[in-house]
Amino acid sequence: MFDRLWDDLAPVGRAGSTGGYRRYAWTPADATLREWFAGEAAARGLDLVTDRAGNQWAWWGNPDASGPGVVVGSHLDSVPDGGAFDGPLGVVSGLLTIDALRAAGLTPSRPVGVVNFGDEEGARFGVACAGSRMVTGSLPRDRALGLRDGDGTSMAEAMAAGGHDTAHVGRDEETLRRIGCFVELHVEQGRGLIDLGRPVAVGTGIWPHGRWRMEFAGEANHAGTTRLEDRHDPMLDYAAAVLQARELAGKYGIVATCGKVVVEPNGINAIPSRVRGWLDARGADADAVGALVAELSQGREVHEESWTPATPFDAALSDRCAAVLDDAPRLASGAGHDAGVLAQAGVATAMLFVRNPTGISHSPAEFAERDDCLRGVQALTAVVTDLVAGQTA
């Protein structure tokens, strides 16, 4: 069954030029993924619910009558030219966990749900974990609907075009009441497990992280006729910021990335009139991240677009997961996840990480061995079995 589900997803949103994925929120590729999820829910007789933010929830049992339930799952969207595993592995593993519980003849003591969170990567509208942030209220309704993609399309317009009614977008108390706890399985996005020789780890929490937009104004002019001494080229200012960000990251012991830039007018033979660049900075120490941004902001126009403080996962739930999994190792995550957003909102949350032998993620080279993926399903099944057969979390 794993192979069939994986093969079904493999062609959706794949870019032939790179082999990576371009599965952006509220696009035709996203619609295909949502249809796939709905079809898999129907094939299992699960009740499919779409919340106010457009996230999909497939329920085995009624969380309103006998909940709150145990929820697993992740997301199906991707970063530009992303890998196959980031997100989909958690959704596929969640569906296979339902299959495994039923095959074992288990009657759960509480409902079990599988969630497909929308727009986790923020690749189209610039805010990561938008689906979970909207449903928890940490991304306000007006800001969410007003976000625009690179073509100027607002999230409100994109959602409406995708068939979602935006009238009720906002914090969704009904959905949140249904979640007793959330366990998100995810491919590892580093090399911790290959060094430890273990296939699965339990997450301890998420590093503090944020995104900032930098603005550099210049003067458009001709590339061939404007003397060097007469130029006001904002690309040079942006380049200096990129180099300083890298230097400051080493100074403060954190990581900083400038991975997106928009140039106006974006002509080969024209000096730019304006450059916008984005900084992603994160690390174990929030003060160090703040210090980097403060130094980088001196003499520059820098705007915070998002900030997430350090997010520990529920200690009791994480301990329980580790105990079920033969004292599994613990790893912190430098990446943001929907699990972190739910944890910030007060939901009991844990994460499981499946070994990534290369440590590469957000790239077509992202990888996990099939056997390790199956071990991840077994681990998630063991955790959910413990949660629905014993005392509730």
Side-chain angles (χ1 to χ4, degrees):
M1 181 64 76
F2 175 85
D3 295 322
R4 198 270 294 168
L5 295 177
W6 208 246
D7 289 345
D8 286 349
L9 289 173
V12 182
R14 193 161 200 171
S17 59
T18 66
Y21 289 91
R22 299 174 185 175
R23 297 167 168 167
Y24 306 149
W26 306 108
T27 63
D30 184 55
T32 299
L33 293 166
R34 289 172 177 272
E35 290 171 6
W36 173 86
F37 184 81
E40 292 301 327
R44 290 165 174 78
L46 307 178
D47 294 325
L48 184 68
V49 178
T50 301
D51 67 27
R52 294 171 63 176
N55 306 304
Q56 294 174 294
W57 306 77
W59 285 102
W60 178 19
N62 186 341
D64 295 322
S66 51
V70 175
V71 180
V72 295
S74 192
H75 63 95
L76 294 174
D77 65 310
S78 76
V79 298
D81 294 325
F85 295 83
D86 181 354
L89 182 60
V91 176
V92 167
S93 298
L95 293 168
L96 293 177
T97 292
I98 297 282
D99 294 345
L101 295 174
R102 286 175 165 171
L106 179 67
T107 301
S109 61
R110 57 201 296 202
V112 180
V114 183
V115 62
N116 169 31
F117 280 113
D119 202 9
E120 193 270 355
E121 298 291 5
R124 183 174 181 186
F125 297 103
V127 176
C129 299
S132 54
R133 289 181 190 273
M134 282 189 281
V135 82
T136 61
S138 60
L139 177 59
R141 166 191 167 81
D142 289 346
R143 185 187 173 207
L145 295 180
L147 293 170
R148 293 187 179 274
D149 66 12
D151 295 326
T153 301
S154 70
M155 183 180 283
E157 293 166 340
M159 293 175 93
H164 184 70
D165 184 359
T166 61
H168 303 293
V169 167
R171 181 177 168 90
D172 192 332
E173 296 289 353
E174 183 178 28
T175 293
L176 294 174
R177 281 197 302 269
R178 292 170 175 159
I179 312 169
C181 64
F182 177 50
V183 182
E184 181 175 6
L185 179 143
H186 203 281
V187 67
E188 184 190 10
Q189 294 173 289
R191 288 181 48 83
L193 282 169
I194 196 70
D195 295 334
L196 293 171
R198 296 286 293 271
V200 178
V202 175
T204 58
I206 299 174
W207 283 358
H209 56 280
R211 296 180 180 183
W212 292 263
R213 185 183 75 257
M214 301 178 288
E215 301 274 358
F216 303 93
E219 182 180 59
N221 215 328
H222 196 288
T225 62
T226 310
R227 297 182 304 178
L228 292 179
E229 59 267 30
D230 292 336
R231 299 182 179 212
H232 184 188
D233 186 348
M235 186 64 81
L236 300 179
D237 299 327
Y238 172 65
V242 173
L243 292 173
Q244 187 182 8
R246 177 59 179 266
E247 179 184 351
L248 292 173
K251 173 182 175 180
Y252 289 110
I254 59 174
V255 292
T257 305
C258 297
K260 179 180 178 180
V261 60
V262 175
V263 182
E264 299 173 8
N266 202 29
I268 295 174
N269 58 352
I271 298 166
S273 60
R274 176 171 293 275
V275 173
R276 285 179 292 157
W278 279 262
L279 167 74
D280 178 300
R282 56 187 81 193
D285 184 350
D287 290 339
V289 176
L292 179 148
V293 174
E295 277 200 54
L296 196 66
S297 300
Q298 293 177 14
R300 297 188 178 98
E301 186 179 348
V302 180
H303 305 275
E304 181 182 301
E305 291 197 338
S306 67
W307 170 251
T308 304
T311 306
F313 294 130
D314 184 88
L317 181 58
S318 297
D319 288 347
R320 189 166 176 174
C321 292
V324 168
L325 302 179
D326 191 26
D327 195 24
R330 312 291 187 101
L331 293 176
S333 175
H337 301 282
D338 293 309
V341 175
L342 293 187
Q344 289 274 339
V347 176
T349 303
M351 287 195 74
L352 305 180
F353 294 113
V354 173
R355 178 166 51 196
N356 178 343
T358 67
I360 295 173
S361 187
H362 283 186
S363 157
E366 180 180 86
F367 184 67
E369 297 284 356
R370 179 180 182 276
D371 286 348
D372 282 350
C373 293
L374 296 179
R375 291 185 181 102
V377 174
Q378 293 167 358
L380 185 61
T381 300
V383 166
V384 175
T385 298
D386 180 70
L387 291 171
V388 300
Q391 291 183 340
T392 59

